[in-house]
Amino acid sequence: MLKKYLIRYKPFLSFLGKFLLTYLLLTFVYQSYLGQFDSAKLEVDGVTQLVARQTKNAMLFFGCEADIAPNAKEPAINLFYNQRHMARIIEGCNGLSVIALFISFVVAFSGKTRTTILFVMGGSLLIHVLNLFRIGLLSILLYYYPEQEHVLHGVLFPLFIYGVVFLLWIVWVNKFSKYATKNSKS
C-alpha cells in the first residue's frame, strides 16, 4: 500500500525533497556566514553593508540625496533621504532569504544544468537589483507618506518582491524546467 503511494506521488515527493534539501542547505550556509558577525558588537554582515551602499548609490544615480551610516543601537545601517533618517537596513533586508527560496524552487524543478545555473544567476541578480530599488523607493515614499508605513513596508513591497519571484518561477516551470520539456513534446 505504501509503495503504491510512493510510486504514485514520486514526482511530488521528488520535488519536495529537492526543495527542502536545497533550502535547508542554503539556510545552513547563510546562518554559518551570519555566525561570523557579533550582533552584540553591532557588527553588520558584509552583504547587508553592500546592499546599503548599493541602495545609496542607486538613489544618488537617480538624483536623490541619500546617505548611509552605521546604526548606533543595533546591527544595522541607517539610510537617509534628504538628510532625514528613513530606514534601517538590517540583515533581513538584504534579500538573501528571498534568493534562497527562489533558488530552492528552481533546483526542485530542475532543468538542464547549464540552463538551471544561468537562470539561478540571472534571477538572483534581478531579485538583488529589484531589492535595492525596493529599499530606495520605500525610503522615498516614507519620506512623503510616513503614515502609510504599514501598507508600504508590510504589504506593498513584500507583495512586489514575492510577486517577482513567483513570476520567475512561472517562467522557469513553463519554459526551462524538465516539466516544460516533457509538456512541449507532447
Side-chain angles (χ1 to χ4, degrees), residues 116-137:
T116 302
I117 291 169
L118 290 174
F119 196 84
V120 161
M121 289 172 56
S124 297
L125 181 62
L126 177 64
I127 292 166
H128 175 73
V129 169
L130 290 175
N131 188 48
L132 301 178
F133 285 103
R134 176 187 74 88
I135 295 167
L137 187 56

Side-chain angles (χ1 to χ4, degrees), residues 165-176:
V165 170
F166 184 71
L167 290 175
L168 285 171
W169 288 343
I170 289 172
V171 169
W172 174 254
V173 169
N174 289 314
K175 300 288 183 188
F176 302 109

Side-chain angles (χ1 to χ4, degrees), residues 3-170:
K3 184 177 179 181
K4 175 182 155 188
Y5 284 111
L6 288 176
I7 292 169
R8 183 175 182 184
Y9 296 110
K10 183 180 178 187
F12 171 73
L13 295 173
S14 175
F15 163 80
L16 193 59
K18 287 179 189 178
F19 178 86
L20 288 174
L21 185 64
T22 304
Y23 189 73
L24 291 173
L25 176 66
L26 291 174
T27 300
F28 173 76
V29 169
Y30 183 46
Q31 292 302 318
S32 297
Y33 164 74
L34 290 177
Q36 301 174 34
F37 302 93
D38 188 350
S39 60
K41 294 180 181 177
L42 306 181
E43 292 179 348
V44 179
D45 70 275
V47 176
T48 302
Q49 291 179 41
L50 177 68
V51 166
R53 283 193 308 273
Q54 290 177 335
T55 299
K56 178 190 94 168
N57 291 336
M59 291 174 75
L60 291 172
F61 178 81
F62 286 104
C64 299
E65 184 184 328
D67 203 4
I68 56 172
N71 187 301
K73 296 179 182 177
E74 63 182 322
I77 306 291
N78 291 331
L79 177 63
F80 297 87
Y81 172 67
N82 288 341
Q83 299 179 353
R84 188 187 318 162
H85 175 256
M86 296 310 306
R88 60 187 174 81
I89 302 173
I90 60 172
E91 172 271 322
C93 300
N94 66 24
L96 287 182
S97 59
V98 176
I99 291 171
L101 189 65
F102 164 74
I103 291 171
S104 299
F105 185 87
V106 171
V107 168
F109 265 113
S110 61
K112 294 178 182 172
T113 303
R114 184 173 190 270
T115 306
T116 302
I117 291 169
L118 290 174
F119 196 84
V120 161
M121 289 172 56
S124 297
L125 181 62
L126 177 64
I127 292 166
H128 175 73
V129 169
L130 290 175
N131 188 48
L132 301 178
F133 285 103
R134 176 187 74 88
I135 295 167
L137 187 56
L138 178 61
S139 298
I140 293 166
L141 289 172
L142 287 174
Y143 181 84
Y144 294 104
Y145 308 102
E147 69 282 355
Q148 299 298 323
E149 180 179 2
H150 173 71
V151 173
L152 293 170
H153 185 266
V155 179
L156 188 62
F157 283 94
L159 184 64
F160 169 73
I161 202 75
Y162 285 109
V164 167
V165 170
F166 184 71
L167 290 175
L168 285 171
W169 288 343
I170 289 172

